[in-house]
Amino acid sequence: MKTATDQKATSLETVQSSLLNMGLLDGLSSAQFNDFLQQAVQKTYPKGFVLFAQGDEAEAFYLITRGWVKLYRETLDGEEAVVDVLTAGHLFGETAIFEEDGYGMSAEVVEEAEIVSLPLGLLKQLMAESPQLSMNMLKTMSRFRRQQDMELEHRTLQNASQRIGCFLLRLCKPDAKSPIRLNLPYDKTLIASRLGMKPETFSRALARLREDTGIRIQGATVEIDGLNQLSGYSCSTCSSSYPCKDL
Amino acid sequence: MKTATDQKATSLETVQSSLLNMGLLDGLSSAQFNDFLQQAVQKTYPKGFVLFAQGDEAEAFYLITRGWVKLYRETLDGEEAVVDVLTAGHLFGETAIFEEDGYGMSAEVVEEAEIVSLPLGLLKQLMAESPQLSMNMLKTMSRFRRQQDMELEHRTLQNASQRIGCFLLRLCKPDAKSPIRLNLPYDKTLIASRLGMKPETFSRALARLREDTGIRIQGATVEIDGLNQLSGYSCSTCSSSYPCKDL
């Protein structure tokens, strides 16, 4: 059984700065902010740790400060559908306050992660008092909705190679100096699932992307000579232009 | 140029009952509700009417009371990505209050529609005053987010025939008496786009669905002998079981 490491005592300042940065608590009174801070628990979780399973009673929501977490659902046939793979700065589990049947999906750590958990009950209570908090939450959800819209659009209009190109572009800073060298954030099987591809489709599409754009991939390392060719390749079939707002 | 028919004078009661039913305004004071009612404008729009285009300045949001409306985006290449096709009881355009660049997509009437338009400015103003209104809005968005999650899941795990089966199941009342006879709500080309398929993929998948489940399709009429076979066929590869909550 994988266990998590409690770091509450050692990192109050880190937690505070993470909560300030996440945007959700902007505009709250100091007392309200401190309520969250007091109940925040930061832990380090190993790869493979399941934070919650679909249908579990929902008591907390989570903020990632390091590492990667996979959100997924399972079908009646036992197949797994990856909903998203999130990293530092992302929230998850917060929409469970609108659900009656617990969490709507499962969450598993896929690369060692530092995660702050926060009580859903407090979020619900403060939302009834603070229009600002509701407004922040709406902004967060509306950004997420745009990303999902975009994802659906890509599944319809981009081919598999273009979708891998888009995934790589999102890992690069738009003003990075060429040539760009980056590490794939998690293993290729999971990247394939995240992009809604079977592993063999992913391999073929990756080979074609290398041929078409000249990028080089060795293990988990990717080298890109310039972003223009990659963005021209992927973004022509997208309704946003590069660099996109949500990047 | 397609024009809309103003029906404000004749249908105040209809508009009132539509606004009461949509859920978004639940729990508002009578004065707040009346503010919306006074500024609501109901019109009948012909097929092909474009309500707004992506990037247009956002001044209104809309409630459909009859007919069908397509939400879509266009890529740099000029391809169209259908985001959703909505009917009576659905809201659209409301998330534009969180956007800085106007509407995030375009909206076009695809089957003659009766639509109530409501001012976004008033929505924004009342949301700053009423935590209840923000909460209603969050519930609406959270339901939409679940539907999008499900849509993405289906694109990953269901084959094209299963996705058409799911589309048909959503048009049936779960307790309808067999055999069920229904009309396709809009033309097959648009159904294909809505499901993210090319027309030729749609035709092949529809033929396979008929063979596998015994449903009969003649023009726009569909006959289904029983829902069990269709739900067994489509829902085994889904993380919800039939009948699904959002049906």
Side-chain angles (χ1 to χ4, degrees):
Chain A
M1 167 92 196
K2 313 244 180 188
T3 54
T5 321
D6 194 330
Q7 300 187 321
K8 192 172 187 186
T10 56
S11 58
L12 199 66
E13 271 179 42
T14 329
V15 174
Q16 183 167 20
S17 94
S18 303
L19 294 192
L20 284 171
N21 281 336
M22 78 175 167
L24 182 65
L25 306 182
D26 285 359
L28 255 58
S29 71
S30 320
Q32 290 171 327
F33 183 84
N34 279 329
D35 278 351
F36 271 109
L37 187 58
Q38 291 308 318
Q39 299 189 47
V41 178
Q42 171 157 315
K43 290 184 184 176
T44 302
Y45 297 87
K47 184 170 173 167
F49 189 92
V50 175
L51 288 146
F52 54 78
Q54 185 177 355
D56 279 1
E57 198 180 335
E59 294 183 339
F61 68 107
Y62 300 86
L63 170 68
I64 309 173
T65 56
R66 183 174 60 81
W68 291 86
V69 172
K70 169 177 78 169
L71 303 181
Y72 62 103
R73 268 198 302 262
E74 270 172 44
T75 70
L76 296 177
D77 279 355
E79 285 252 32
E80 184 179 294
V82 174
V83 178
D84 214 337
V85 183
L86 304 174
T87 189
H90 283 97
L91 281 177
F92 61 95
E94 80 283 10
T95 53
I97 55 169
F98 310 110
E99 314 268 356
E100 284 159 18
D101 313 325
Y103 292 110
M105 52 190 77
S106 308
E108 179 186 326
V109 174
V110 290
E111 291 297 336
E112 188 185 87
E114 247 172 50
I115 299 174
V116 180
S117 75
L118 296 154
L120 271 176
L122 182 60
L123 181 65
K124 199 165 190 170
Q125 178 201 322
L126 289 185
M127 271 173 62
E129 300 168 10
S130 159
Q132 180 64 46
L133 182 57
S134 301
M135 208 58 172
N136 295 344
M137 183 94 173
L138 277 165
K139 273 187 201 152
T140 306
M141 286 187 65
S142 134
R143 194 165 53 234
F144 191 83
R145 180 171 164 171
R146 269 204 308 276
Q147 286 167 359
Q148 276 181 313
D149 278 347
M150 203 52 86
E151 184 74 28
L152 269 173
E153 178 188 313
H154 287 180
R155 299 269 174 115
T156 308
L157 297 178
Q158 289 190 329
N159 65 36
S161 305
Q162 287 170 325
R163 262 152 58 210
I164 300 175
C166 174
F167 177 84
L168 294 177
L169 280 171
R170 289 172 179 274
L171 297 173
C172 304
K173 297 210 172 87
D175 54 357
K177 274 193 197 135
S178 301
I180 295 162
R181 209 186 153 90
L182 56 90
N183 283 311
L184 295 177
Y186 39 85
D187 68 59
K188 286 179 188 163
T189 318
L190 182 56
I191 298 178
S193 306
R194 163 69 185 76
L195 296 175
M197 298 174 200
K198 298 206 187 314
E200 53 277 20
T201 310
F202 181 80
S203 298
R204 278 198 304 272
L206 189 59
R208 193 175 141 196
L209 179 68
R210 291 158 75 156
E211 262 175 47
D212 289 351
T213 64
I215 65 164
R216 294 173 295 281
I217 304 183
Q218 189 84 46
T221 309
V222 181
E223 278 189 355
I224 303 168
D225 282 332
L227 291 179
N228 284 348
Q229 197 173 358
L230 198 54
S231 62
Y233 185 78
S234 288
C235 307
S236 62
T237 48
C238 176
S239 64
S240 289
S241 48
Y242 185 80
C244 30
K245 270 198 300 185
D246 293 320
L247 210 66
Chain B
M1 168 95 195
K2 313 245 179 188
T3 54
T5 320
D6 194 331
Q7 300 187 322
K8 191 173 186 183
T10 55
S11 57
L12 199 64
E13 272 179 42
T14 329
V15 173
Q16 183 167 19
S17 95
S18 304
L19 294 193
L20 283 171
N21 282 335
M22 77 175 167
L24 182 65
L25 307 182
D26 284 0
L28 257 57
S29 71
S30 319
Q32 290 171 327
F33 183 84
N34 279 328
D35 278 350
F36 271 109
L37 187 59
Q38 291 308 319
Q39 298 189 46
V41 178
Q42 171 156 317
K43 290 184 186 178
T44 303
Y45 296 88
K47 183 170 173 168
F49 189 90
V50 175
L51 288 146
F52 53 78
Q54 185 176 356
D56 279 1
E57 197 180 337
E59 296 183 338
F61 68 107
Y62 300 87
L63 170 68
I64 309 174
T65 57
R66 183 174 61 80
W68 291 87
V69 172
K70 169 176 78 169
L71 303 181
Y72 62 103
R73 270 199 300 263
E74 272 173 43
T75 69
L76 296 178
D77 278 355
E79 285 252 32
E80 184 179 294
V82 174
V83 177
D84 214 337
V85 183
L86 305 174
T87 188
H90 283 96
L91 281 177
F92 61 94
E94 80 284 10
T95 52
I97 56 169
F98 310 109
E99 314 267 358
E100 284 160 16
D101 312 326
Y103 292 110
M105 51 192 76
S106 308
E108 180 186 324
V109 173
V110 290
E111 291 297 336
E112 188 186 85
E114 246 172 50
I115 297 173
V116 180
S117 75
L118 295 153
L120 272 176
L122 182 61
L123 180 66
K124 199 163 191 172
Q125 178 201 323
L126 289 185
M127 273 174 61
E129 299 168 12
S130 159
Q132 180 64 46
L133 182 57
S134 300
M135 209 58 173
N136 295 343
M137 184 96 173
L138 278 164
K139 273 187 200 150
T140 306
M141 284 186 65
S142 136
R143 195 164 54 232
F144 191 85
R145 180 169 162 172
R146 269 204 308 277
Q147 287 167 357
Q148 276 181 314
D149 277 348
M150 204 50 87
E151 183 74 30
L152 269 172
E153 178 188 314
H154 288 179
R155 298 270 174 112
T156 308
L157 297 178
Q158 290 190 328
N159 65 36
S161 304
Q162 288 169 324
R163 262 152 59 210
I164 300 175
C166 174
F167 178 83
L168 294 177
L169 280 170
R170 289 173 178 272
L171 297 173
C172 303
K173 298 210 171 85
D175 55 357
K177 275 193 195 134
S178 301
I180 295 162
R181 211 186 151 90
L182 58 89
N183 283 312
L184 296 177
Y186 38 84
D187 69 59
K188 287 179 186 162
T189 317
L190 182 57
I191 298 178
S193 307
R194 163 70 186 73
L195 298 173
M197 298 173 200
K198 297 207 187 314
E200 54 277 18
T201 310
F202 181 81
S203 297
R204 277 197 306 270
L206 190 60
R208 196 175 138 196
L209 179 68
R210 292 159 74 157
E211 261 173 47
D212 290 351
T213 64
I215 65 165
R216 294 173 296 281
I217 303 182
Q218 188 83 47
T221 308
V222 181
E223 278 190 355
I224 303 168
D225 282 332
L227 290 181
N228 284 348
Q229 196 175 357
L230 198 53
S231 63
Y233 184 77
S234 289
C235 308
S236 61
T237 48
C238 176
S239 65
S240 289
S241 49
Y242 184 82
C244 30
K245 271 197 302 186
D246 293 320
L247 211 67

